[in-house]
Amino acid sequence: MKRMEMTTSSSYHSTPNDIQNQSSFFSKLNEETLPPNDTFSSRPSNSNNSNNAKRNIRYLVLIILGILLLLVIIDLSTSSQHIQHWLKELLSWMEFHPYAGVLVFILVYALCTVLFIPGAILTIGCGFTFGYVYDTSLTKAVIIASTTVFLGASLGSIMAFLLGRYLFRDCVLNMAKEYPMFEAVDRGKS
């Protein structure tokens, strides 16, 4: 393999004056375009108050979600199964109030998604309920039930994402430190 030699013309050579002119040009450019260093480091005086308020809201939501999750676990482990009974009552109420039932069902399904309550009972119950309400048109019942379940699951997923992204971001980042891929994705997007 032959070694290639590069030939340079005199236009590629830099003199000390050229280098000095270039460095002074870049330093002037930086002075004109970049703000002083203390601009980014200074914080508004109410930053601690907003951090404390955010922390308090985070703890309040965490406590409420923890209590609800604990109640679900206790309810599922006992024989009384109040949540299942409550969901059956909701589905029977939806039979008599189909339009309001759609909106309530979407909200309940979203809440169940956030709280990790399995949605199988709700999905099947929604299909049977709207199938019974719209017994003259099975196609209409399937479309309404499918759309209702889809909107409820989507809204619940969005709520869970927003909770994890903004309210519980620090907790998620601490858990993600164990996995370098998550940290690389987080650095890449910001």
Side-chain angles (χ1 to χ4, degrees), residues 28-153:
K28 287 180 186 176
L29 181 68
N30 286 339
E31 289 172 1
E32 293 173 1
T33 58
L34 292 177
N37 288 339
D38 61 343
T39 302
F40 295 113
S41 63
S42 64
R43 289 185 149 172
S45 61
N46 63 357
S47 175
N48 289 336
N49 292 340
S50 66
N51 285 342
N52 288 338
K54 187 177 178 181
R55 187 179 309 125
N56 291 340
I57 291 172
R58 184 181 308 142
Y59 287 140
L60 180 66
V61 170
L62 188 62
I63 289 170
I64 290 171
L65 289 176
I67 290 171
L68 288 174
L69 187 63
L70 183 66
L71 290 174
V72 167
I73 291 171
I74 290 171
D75 185 59
L76 291 176
S77 64
T78 62
S79 61
S80 61
Q81 307 234 338
H82 295 290
I83 293 175
Q84 187 176 4
H85 176 70
W86 179 74
L87 292 176
K88 286 180 183 177
E89 290 293 322
L90 171 70
L91 294 173
S92 66
W93 176 82
M94 284 174 51
E95 288 179 20
F96 300 107
H97 305 91
Y99 298 112
V102 168
L103 297 176
V104 170
F105 186 84
I106 289 172
L107 294 175
V108 168
Y109 203 98
L111 183 66
C112 288
T113 302
V114 171
L115 296 177
F116 303 114
I117 298 173
I121 295 172
L122 284 173
T123 304
I124 294 169
C126 181
F128 280 121
T129 301
F130 285 116
Y132 181 74
V133 170
Y134 300 106
D135 59 349
T136 58
S137 173
L138 184 60
T139 306
K140 184 177 180 180
V142 168
I143 290 172
I144 290 175
S146 298
T147 305
T148 303
V149 168
F150 174 76
L151 290 175

Side-chain angles (χ1 to χ4, degrees), residues 17-36:
N17 282 341
D18 291 338
I19 294 173
Q20 186 178 13
N21 289 340
Q22 287 175 355
S23 65
S24 67
F25 170 75
F26 287 118
S27 65
K28 287 180 186 176
L29 181 68
N30 286 339
E31 289 172 1
E32 293 173 1
T33 58
L34 292 177

Side-chain angles (χ1 to χ4, degrees), residues 122-187:
L122 284 173
T123 304
I124 294 169
C126 181
F128 280 121
T129 301
F130 285 116
Y132 181 74
V133 170
Y134 300 106
D135 59 349
T136 58
S137 173
L138 184 60
T139 306
K140 184 177 180 180
V142 168
I143 290 172
I144 290 175
S146 298
T147 305
T148 303
V149 168
F150 174 76
L151 290 175
S154 297
L155 181 64
S157 299
I158 291 169
M159 288 169 47
F161 170 77
L162 292 175
L163 283 171
R165 175 74 174 124
Y166 294 108
L167 201 56
F168 297 112
R169 180 169 173 76
D170 297 333
C171 299
V172 171
L173 287 176
N174 286 337
M175 289 189 304
K177 284 181 182 176
E178 297 176 17
Y179 305 97
M181 181 62 82
F182 288 130
E183 194 172 325
V185 168
D186 190 48
R187 275 191 313 245

